[in-house]
Amino acid sequence: MTAKNAFYALLLAAALLPGRAAALGVAEARDRVITGTLVYLNTPYLWGGMHPETGMDCSAFARQVYADAGLYLPRVSRDQFAQTRRLAPAEVRPGDLVFFAMKHPGTARVDHVGVYVGKGFFVHASFTNGVHIDSVANPYYYARLVGVRRYAGF
């Protein structure tokens, strides 16, 4: 491998591997995540969908918002949960990820994710309403809340 190829390989690895949001700065990356959620409002829900034009599911939405900010998240909500870190309620900030157990309330079986945008609200892709804003305090969601977690680079 030539020095030039090694350099390009390092650049590619840095772009593809999860890590700190150093290129943008944490504050700017977090801001991009939060404002990015608004871009996709009213996008239709499509299970397994990954494109705003045809529809997205919850984990594709979260992944896309983070990707738009230059950050990597895995494709599936349970993998996103596994690659983020647990937060105490006082540590939660806009841009963090909110995880739910929709099919098995009261368990830790994560199957839904949204992006916390502040003041008790999160944006997510739901089966009935597509990408929209909801309150974490809504009894339906609160009963299914598994936790709020932070991207490893924040």
Side-chain angles (χ1 to χ4, degrees):
M1 178 179 284
T2 68
K4 184 178 179 181
N5 287 346
F7 174 74
Y8 288 127
L10 283 174
L11 284 178
L12 182 61
L16 295 176
L17 296 175
R20 292 206 151 277
L24 290 175
V26 173
E28 185 178 350
R30 198 177 268 284
D31 286 344
R32 285 190 182 185
V33 167
I34 297 159
T35 57
T37 63
L38 304 177
V39 171
Y40 299 103
L41 287 177
N42 300 315
T43 297
Y45 179 88
L46 177 63
W47 186 81
M50 296 176 51
H51 303 287
E53 300 83 27
T54 56
M56 294 190 289
D57 64 18
C58 64
S59 56
F61 163 69
R63 184 176 194 234
Q64 186 63 55
V65 168
Y66 270 71
D68 291 348
L71 307 170
Y72 171 81
L73 276 180
R75 170 64 182 93
V76 181
S77 60
R78 70 179 168 273
D79 294 338
Q80 293 170 351
F81 181 85
Q83 290 195 9
T84 52
R85 67 180 175 89
R86 184 184 159 287
L87 297 174
E91 297 176 295
V92 176
R93 296 187 53 210
D96 290 332
L97 295 166
V98 187
F99 292 94
F100 301 90
M102 303 304 284
K103 294 177 187 167
H104 304 282
T107 71
R109 291 184 185 173
V110 170
D111 57 14
H112 190 66
V113 63
V115 178
Y116 184 73
V117 292
K119 299 190 180 194
F121 292 93
F122 69 106
V123 180
H124 66 123
S126 76
F127 179 76
T128 54
N129 297 309
V131 178
H132 68 285
I133 301 170
D134 260 313
S135 171
V136 177
N138 175 325
Y140 179 79
Y141 291 108
Y142 189 77
R144 291 160 172 78
L145 181 65
V146 173
V148 182
R149 297 175 69 91
R150 183 159 296 153
Y151 177 76
F154 284 164

